[in-house]
Amino acid sequence: MLEKVKDFFQKDNKPLTSKKVRFGYTQEDILKNINLSIKKEKIYAIVGKSGSGKSTFLKLVAGVISKNYEGQIRIFGKYRSFSKDLFGFVPQEAGFIPDLSIKNNIKISGLNFGVSESEALTRAKDLMNQLKLDIDIDKKPE
């Protein structure tokens, strides 16, 4: 898997390009004609007022939103049809329901992404082990 990831990023293509991207959760567009070309070894910031579509655009790029958009999004020259195994996405919103245990939050998150409760827990425990996190998932988030 690591070789796949290394190969993907070693291409000479631009890390991210978008062309005529349009998206709306309803009939009204949030993103209109978004054209972007990001170069390697540069740092960029996406800035704007609350509700202007910054997080929505990043969700489109990450594949969190995968339907009902128009235009082209390419990552390292490939159309945004990459495997979610190669990329991760951390939303800006707090992801936990404070009245539920961490374990139940993990189960719900898994179901939201089409992963069974047991698979979500297995993946979460594997990640916690890799990161050397010693967390009691039966407790509520702090």
Side-chain angles (χ1 to χ4, degrees), residues 58-111:
L58 293 175
K59 287 177 183 178
L60 278 169
V61 170
V64 173
I65 299 171
S66 59
K67 296 182 180 177
N68 302 325
Y69 79 94
E70 293 177 9
Q72 297 176 356
I73 298 173
R74 291 184 185 201
I75 298 178
F76 288 95
K78 296 185 180 190
Y79 284 106
R80 198 213 64 175
S81 60
F82 50 81
S83 167
K84 289 183 183 177
D85 293 335
L86 297 176
F87 292 90
F89 177 74
V90 179
Q92 71 182 11
E93 302 90 14
F96 286 114
I97 301 169
D99 294 334
L100 297 178
S101 68
I102 294 170
K103 178 191 269 183
N104 286 333
N105 273 282
I106 291 168
K107 289 178 183 180
I108 289 171
S109 294
L111 293 173

Side-chain angles (χ1 to χ4, degrees), residues 18-50:
S18 70
K19 191 181 228 181
K20 297 182 181 179
V21 172
R22 187 198 70 71
F23 176 81
Y25 291 103
T26 62
Q27 299 288 24
E28 187 176 335
D29 288 344
I30 293 173
L31 303 172
K32 301 174 189 173
N33 200 30
I34 304 298
N35 296 294
L36 180 69
S37 181
I38 291 182
K39 297 176 182 171
K40 285 183 180 182
E41 300 177 6
K42 299 284 182 185
I43 297 173
Y44 294 85
I46 298 176
V47 296
K49 295 188 296 186
S50 180

